[in-house]
């Protein structure tokens, strides 16, 4: 009896402590009172909203909602329902005709639901696609500069809100090798002496030592899980380049192909010396910028044939025969509409290039080409991963504003793009600058853009834009190792959606409503159980379901 009392008290205490531990700090909202904008969440040394992932118990689910109307990771809970009508439970695994969809759609008679505001999806946990690597953001010089302007306590808040267990749990970082446009000046490693093919004077920059490495180390420290790092060169030392300039039309001089491969190896060595392991390198950021020189910043051009030659003759052997032989090599690192140009061009020059590369990196800007292109590339090279390595809003010439504080529209663009990519075999999605100033900089080439976090040093605070929560609806709930599963539509109406099976065996569904009206959603789990919920106008929901 006494033992039982003790254990009961134990359970009571445990429940109590769990309840306390899972109490999240809500978004401290600031309404900008600008027509058409959503709210932002404000953080400082003493306060920052947190998000804890709740473990759904058997037969239950947890829903997280963010919306234009101001919700940020709002939690709700539910129980999976059983189908009562036997006829409804009949298994229909084949594709349905529109007529059948019409007949099935009026699933909720006697309510306000019609075929025009109802979406029905069926989740197939046994139809599996790619395994997810993760989500993250980039430690640029600009991110480091803004971050370092905050007090130490606020710096910790910013790192925790991205990487910590009560934050977005990011597990990827991308870092430029030397300078990019998001630096105060253009620079490379080993600029002098001229024509130093042996790289005898290679050394990291002040920016590495005082901005990027400290920010990376604090992020790795805050994260509960492994954070993988991807590094990319924008431009090598200008003596390696045909135009001997940091920007414009320029490629690597043939005699420096090996030096440019060694440049990457030296970077891996220098970062390893300070205990930062690089998981992957890309084969140069946006190689088109040194071929079609429109971008006014650090660049290096590769034609597909040149890129294949360099990978086969120099970069591939250099990395594979080094102590860093397990470093992944990701090719292209450029826009979706250039994928075929580079992939097919490299195949033509030398298919051996694909023996050295582990995947293809893709950027976000001007996604004119259909996302189906990604699936085509995956089918061509089924063993290679596709990874999205850079994205930001406000970068295009037609964007009226570089920074648009509180714009839900920008979160919506992120969500749509992530869903398109992941539904076409992309394994992860990495955002650009982790934080920027209120004008979207610094950027030496005046290429200012937006970011999920904007820093206000004079107030020692930062604000979180809707894009921050867009990223979190994925990064927080789709852990590395999750596998995308089939979510097949069984209604006339459609919304943007995706589904995963997590390593713990839960189903995670993400639903995005771009419409001006609420939608009634029904998720069929197997043949006899379902979940029904309302997806409000301009909102995103992540639903974690314990189906067991
Ligand atoms: C080596 O690089 C540093 C800058 O990092 C420069 O000041 C120095 O002059 C270079 N040494 C030689 C021999 O060029
Ligand atoms: C990779 O490098 C490590 C460390 O130098 C070495 O032990 C290992 O055998 C290498 N692996 C391959 C496949 O070459
Ligand atoms: C249907 O009605 C319910 C209850 O009145 C409401 O909560 C829900 O938002 C409505 N659904 C739609 C799609 O309008």
């Amino acid at each position: 009896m006494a033992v039982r009392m003790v254990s009961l008290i134990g359970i009571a205490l445990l429940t109590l402590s769990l309840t306390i531990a899972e109490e999240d700090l809500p978004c401290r909202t600031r309404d900008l009172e600008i027509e058409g904008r959503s709210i932002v969440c404000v953080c400082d040394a003493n306060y920052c909203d947190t998000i804890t992932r709740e473990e759904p118990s058997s037969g239950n689910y947890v829903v997280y909602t963010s919306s234009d109307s101001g919700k940020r990771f709002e939690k709700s809970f539910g129980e999976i329902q059983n189908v009562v009508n036997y006829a409804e439970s009949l298994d229909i695994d084949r594709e349905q005709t529109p007529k059948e969809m019409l007949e099935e759609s009026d699933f909720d008679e006697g309510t306000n639901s019609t075929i025009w505001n109802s979406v029905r999806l069926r989740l197939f946990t046994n139809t599996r696609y790619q395994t997810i690597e993760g989500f993250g953001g980039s430690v640029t010089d600009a991110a480091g500069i803004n971050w370092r302007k905050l007090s130490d306590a606020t710096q910790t808040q910013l790192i925790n809100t991205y990487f910590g267990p009560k934050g977005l749990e990011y597990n990827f970082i991308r870092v430029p090798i030397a300078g990019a446009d998001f630096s105060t000046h253009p620079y490379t490693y080993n600029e002098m002496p001229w024509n130093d093919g042996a790289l005898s004077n290679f050394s990291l920059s002040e920016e590495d030592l005082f901005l990027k490495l400290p920010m990376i180390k604090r992020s790795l420290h805050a994260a509960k899980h492994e954070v993988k790092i991807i590094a990319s060169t924008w431009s090598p030392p200008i003596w390696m380049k045909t135009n001997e300039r940091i920007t414009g039309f320029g490629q690597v001089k043939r005699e420096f192909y090996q030096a440019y491969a060694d440049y990457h190896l030296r970077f891996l060595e220098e970062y390893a010396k300070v205990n930062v392991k690089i998981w992957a390198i890309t084969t140069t950021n946006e190689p088109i910028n040194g071929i079609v020189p429109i971008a006014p910043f650090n660049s290096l051009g590769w034609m597909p044939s040149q890129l294949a030659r360099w990978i086969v003759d120099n970069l591939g052997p250099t990395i594979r025969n080094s102590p860093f032989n397990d470093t992944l090599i990701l090719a292209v690192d450029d826009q979706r509409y250039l994928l075929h140009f580079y992939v097919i061009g490299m195949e033509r020059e030398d298919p051996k290039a694909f023996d050295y590369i582990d995947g293809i990196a893709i950027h976000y800007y001007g996604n004119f080409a259909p996302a189906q292109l990604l699936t085509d590339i995956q089918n061509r090279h089924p063993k290679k991963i596709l990874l999205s390595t850079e994205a930001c809003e406000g970068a295009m010439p037609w964007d009226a504003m570089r920074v648009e504080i509180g714009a839900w529209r920008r979160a919506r663009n992120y969500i749509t793009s992530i869903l398109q990519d992941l539904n076409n075999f992309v394994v992860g999605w990495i955002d650009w600058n982790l934080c920027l100033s209120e004008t979207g900089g610094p950027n030496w080439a005046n290429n200012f853009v937006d970011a999920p976090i904007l820093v206000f040093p004079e107030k020692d605070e930062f604000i979180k834009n809707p894009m921050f929560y867009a990223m979190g609806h994925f990064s927080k709930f789709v852990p590395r190792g999750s596998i995308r599963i089939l979510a097949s539509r069984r209604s006339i109406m459609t919304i943007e959606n995706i589904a995963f099976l997590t390593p713990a065996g839960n189903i995670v569904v993400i639903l995005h409503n771009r419409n001006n009206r609420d939608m009634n959603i029904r998720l069929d789990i197997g043949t006899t159980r379902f979940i029904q919920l309302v997806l409000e106008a301009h909102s995103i929901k992540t639903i974690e379901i314990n189906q067991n």
Side-chain angles (χ1 to χ4, degrees):
M1 193 62 185
V3 172
R4 209 164 142 199
M5 274 300 279
V6 169
S7 67
L8 274 179
I9 292 167
I11 289 168
L13 284 177
L14 187 69
T15 317
L16 193 67
S17 68
L18 279 181
T19 321
I20 292 166
E22 290 174 12
E23 197 67 53
D24 280 316
L25 300 174
C27 164
R28 194 171 70 186
T29 59
R30 181 172 296 162
D31 190 340
L32 303 151
E33 290 171 7
I34 303 174
E35 179 67 23
R37 303 278 179 92
S38 188
I39 52 113
V40 296
C41 304
V42 185
C43 298
D44 60 20
N46 303 314
Y47 191 92
C48 197
D49 53 299
T50 60
I51 175 67
T52 312
R53 190 189 136 258
E54 307 277 346
E55 184 67 47
S57 55
S58 176
N60 289 268
Y61 60 89
V62 186
V63 185
Y64 307 84
T65 304
S66 299
S67 66
D68 189 10
S69 67
K71 290 181 180 172
R72 295 293 180 266
F73 290 141
E74 190 180 280
K75 283 178 190 174
S76 57
F77 303 85
E79 201 178 331
I80 306 175
Q81 292 175 259
N82 289 307
V83 173
V84 283
N85 180 346
Y86 172 74
E88 218 187 328
S89 75
L90 285 180
D91 196 0
I92 307 170
D93 277 0
R94 62 193 165 76
E95 289 293 312
Q96 289 176 293
T97 63
K99 184 164 175 293
E100 285 169 333
M101 284 183 180
L102 269 170
E103 283 163 2
E104 279 208 14
S105 290
D106 53 343
F107 53 78
D108 202 13
E109 275 180 56
T111 72
N112 51 3
S113 103
T114 70
I115 58 164
W116 308 117
N117 66 5
S118 300
V119 170
R120 183 168 176 178
L121 296 168
R122 171 115 176 249
L123 307 171
F124 290 90
T125 50
N126 290 324
T127 306
R128 299 179 182 184
Y129 307 100
Q130 81 273 26
T131 302
I132 299 303
E133 276 291 352
F135 303 86
S138 302
V139 175
T140 57
D141 294 347
I145 289 165
N146 285 298
W147 176 65
R148 289 292 296 257
K149 284 185 179 161
L150 296 165
S151 68
D152 196 61
T154 312
Q155 285 180 25
T156 303
Q157 298 273 29
L158 193 150
I159 295 294
N160 286 345
T161 202
Y162 270 130
F163 293 92
K166 291 188 158 199
L168 301 190
E169 300 190 58
Y170 270 13
N171 60 12
F172 261 131
I173 287 175
R174 182 170 181 243
V175 63
I177 297 175
D181 51 330
F182 281 93
S183 308
T184 53
H185 61 114
Y187 67 91
T188 67
Y189 307 131
N190 211 114
E191 278 167 352
M192 304 234 278
W194 196 256
N195 287 349
D196 181 20
L199 303 179
S200 63
N201 197 22
F202 187 101
S203 58
L204 296 182
S205 65
E206 305 257 298
E207 284 84 351
D208 290 289
L209 304 179
F210 298 109
L211 301 172
K212 294 193 283 192
L213 284 167
M215 198 174 191
I216 289 172
K217 291 207 161 190
R218 289 272 287 274
S219 305
L220 301 186
H221 183 73
K224 215 168 49 179
H225 306 288
E226 185 195 359
V227 176
K228 293 183 173 176
I229 304 177
I230 298 177
S232 306
T233 303
W234 265 245
S235 169
I238 59 175
W239 51 261
M240 285 192 201
K241 296 172 67 178
T242 52
N243 61 340
E244 297 181 350
R245 285 178 54 222
I246 200 84
T247 185
F249 180 83
Q251 296 88 49
V252 180
K253 291 177 185 167
R254 195 67 189 79
E255 67 267 33
F256 292 128
Y257 269 33
Q258 186 54 42
Y260 187 48
D262 293 338
Y263 186 81
H264 287 83
L265 184 58
R266 290 287 294 111
F267 171 79
L268 298 177
E269 284 170 1
E270 292 301 320
Y271 265 50
K273 279 183 199 162
V274 290
N275 295 316
V276 174
K277 181 185 162 64
I278 302 296
W279 174 74
I281 53 173
T282 73
T283 53
T284 306
N285 177 71
E286 298 182 357
I288 202 69
N289 293 347
I291 301 289
V292 184
I294 298 167
F297 51 80
N298 328 40
S299 63
L300 173 69
W302 288 111
M303 287 298 287
S305 56
Q306 296 170 324
L307 188 56
R309 281 271 54 83
W310 178 62
I311 291 169
V312 174
D313 297 341
N314 309 97
L315 183 70
T318 300
I319 299 300
R320 295 294 169 247
N321 297 328
S322 78
F324 304 94
N325 53 18
D326 61 349
T327 311
L328 271 58
I329 299 175
L330 306 179
V332 188
D333 208 17
D334 213 323
Q335 317 310 332
R336 185 192 286 166
Y337 55 84
L338 293 163
L339 279 181
H340 267 139
F341 173 65
Y342 275 103
V343 169
I344 292 170
M346 286 167 62
E347 285 169 3
R348 283 204 187 117
E349 171 65 24
D350 195 339
K352 280 208 294 291
F354 290 85
D355 296 343
Y356 285 112
I357 70 174
D358 300 282
I360 307 285
I362 310 127
H363 290 192
Y364 168 83
Y365 311 100
N367 272 339
F368 317 113
Q372 169 65 30
L373 242 163
L374 297 160
T375 293
D376 297 346
I377 297 289
Q378 181 73 94
N379 290 338
R380 251 181 126 83
H381 294 282
K383 296 212 168 104
K384 308 300 169 194
I385 60 164
L386 300 174
L387 185 66
S388 221
T389 47
E390 195 188 303
C392 69
E393 280 286 304
M396 303 309 282
W398 53 83
D399 286 321
M401 271 173 280
R402 303 291 123 201
V403 171
E404 197 174 346
I405 297 179
W408 181 261
R409 202 162 61 80
R410 294 191 161 179
R412 191 187 69 192
N413 292 345
Y414 265 36
I415 297 163
T416 295
S417 178
I418 297 172
L419 286 170
Q420 279 185 359
D421 283 356
L422 299 187
N423 274 318
N424 285 280
F425 293 94
V426 169
V427 300
W429 214 86
I430 305 171
D431 186 29
W432 190 210
N433 304 277
L434 282 174
C435 60
L436 287 175
S437 72
E438 64 182 306
T439 53
N443 185 296
W444 74 263
N446 296 327
N447 183 30
F448 304 112
V449 302
D450 216 338
I453 288 186
L454 301 173
V455 169
F456 296 81
E458 61 293 346
K459 294 189 209 153
D460 193 34
E461 70 176 28
F462 60 89
I463 60 114
K464 300 198 277 185
N465 268 318
M467 289 180 284
F468 176 90
Y469 298 87
M471 290 298 297
H473 270 272
F474 295 86
S475 66
K476 180 81 187 175
F477 309 103
V478 185
R480 178 169 293 147
S482 296
I483 299 174
R484 178 167 67 92
I485 59 170
L486 174 64
S488 86
R489 180 163 62 103
R490 315 183 80 199
S491 54
I492 294 291
M493 295 309 286
T494 181
I495 47 150
E496 294 179 340
N497 61 271
I498 198 161
F500 305 91
L501 196 58
T502 67
N506 289 339
I507 298 175
V508 169
V509 183
I510 300 168
L511 306 172
H512 182 212
N513 188 0
R514 297 176 61 110
N515 301 309
N516 282 324
R517 60 181 195 283
D518 294 358
M519 300 293 276
N520 288 315
I521 312 289
R522 171 167 163 151
L523 301 173
D524 289 314
I525 303 160
T527 54
T528 60
R529 297 190 301 165
F530 68 98
I531 287 173
Q532 215 159 310
L533 34 84
V534 175
L535 184 65
E536 70 180 71
H538 302 295
S539 75
I540 178 171
K541 271 186 182 347
T542 298
I543 305 138
E544 182 163 0
I545 307 161
N546 184 337
Q547 46 160 343
N548 299 311

